[in-house]
Amino acid sequence: MNCEKLSNPSMDKKKKRKHMEKKKNHKSKSIYDILSLELIHIVLMRVPIRHLARLKCVSKLWYSLISDPDFAELHFHHSPVATNACFFIENEAMVYFIYLDDNDASQKVMSPPFKKKPSHFAVLGSCRGFILSYRDPHFLVVWNLLTGFSKRISYSHIVARLKYYVVRLPYKFHLYGFGYDASQDDYLVVVAWQDKDDHYHLDYLSLRTNSWINLDAALSNLLGSYNWNPPGLFFNGTIHWVPSVLEAYRDVILIFDLKERTFSTLSAPEQPVKSACSYSILAVLGGCLGLYYRNYDSRKTEIWVMKEYKVHSTWTLYQIPCEVFQPVCFYSHGDIIGRGYTFSDKRGYFIHNVRGDLLKHFKNLCCPIRRAYAVYTESLLPLPSDIKDKDKKNKRKENCM
């Protein structure tokens, strides 16, 4: 005789209740019950910078973590780096933002941070996620493309004393540059100019104090000795300028130390005769100081890279078979990416190896060869003056509570 197990209704209800409670407790667990705050911080540090802005919307905690200036500083130094070239083109009031890596490339169009469309707008340099640009008539603009933050700077007090009055800024100043002084946590805009009495002057703007400071005492006697390429390159805590045309290795690269507020010089690499090379331009390539120019004789672009900073013997030459080639960056494995065109009329962005062999050609991106551009690394960093303004607002709120 088979005995059937009789079910107990009360026991079934208890089991169901326990199962539902377990299920409910499991569903109510948040990400913070699974991951510690320290681990979330580590994960966010590894997220590519362009995605972090969207992750601010996940929760108040994530917003607070990502908005913290200390997090922004750490992420800038330790996150996966994407190299981007930023181009200001078309009617000089639009920005083409080009993302480049060794596998792919993309672009997006952005509008500069102005209420009214400027008649002239140009990029002058970049530093730690900020672009320095010029907007007519007498304004500079510091702009973080990722966060949208911008700051307008007037230099009208200098314009009235300039020897040569011309509309566009690159020709108003003998030298200009934009860099970061880590010792003071301050961004500086440096300009060297000539007054109506032929006297040279050096001024810099501190973005921490929002004030212009005169540094005539620091002027180098080389300032009027060369026809300088006015845009300065920020690298290794200093701003660098090079003569427009290098005639011999005796020609120098002029250096301004942002911490010491002093000038020094660096010997350029050995060069061909003046007639063989064109306009010289500085660049940061593979974490090293680089210099490039077009060689008319060989119809190639010659790129010199100083493998060890301030050691003249470490200048290394690379030759790219492009009539015009503007290097954007060197990758760790030695490939060079840049924009330009060849004598066979190929135009766009190219990847070459160190021997000059063409590896890849991106041709479906906007590529204005003669427009100013800046190699730009995205960041969430705020300006020091912006942090101070926020602190003042927070103190006012606390006092009102």
Side-chain angles (χ1 to χ4, degrees), residues 329-372:
C329 74
F330 274 31
Y331 292 113
S332 57
H333 49 273
D335 294 344
I336 308 166
I337 189 167
R339 63 172 184 159
Y341 63 83
T342 66
F343 30 79
S344 58
D345 210 27
K346 279 186 179 177
R347 179 181 292 262
Y349 300 87
F350 303 91
I351 298 178
H352 289 266
N353 61 24
V354 291
R355 295 186 303 275
D357 302 323
L358 178 62
L359 304 179
K360 202 161 188 176
H361 178 206
F362 302 105
K363 54 189 175 183
N364 297 321
L365 299 173
C366 184
C367 188
I369 301 301
R370 303 191 188 281
R371 294 288 187 182

Side-chain angles (χ1 to χ4, degrees), residues 300-317:
K300 293 179 179 179
T301 297
E302 299 196 346
I303 303 171
W304 290 87
V305 177
M306 181 175 261
K307 297 296 182 71
E308 189 176 341
Y309 188 56
K310 291 191 175 181
V311 179
H312 187 268
S313 61
T314 64
W315 280 114
T316 305
L317 176 64

Side-chain angles (χ1 to χ4, degrees), residues 156-163 193-197 201:
S156 56
H157 67 291
I158 294 176
V159 172
R161 298 174 58 198
L162 284 170
K163 179 176 183 178
W193 53 283
Q194 190 176 5
D195 67 20
K196 295 171 183 176
D197 297 320
H201 301 276

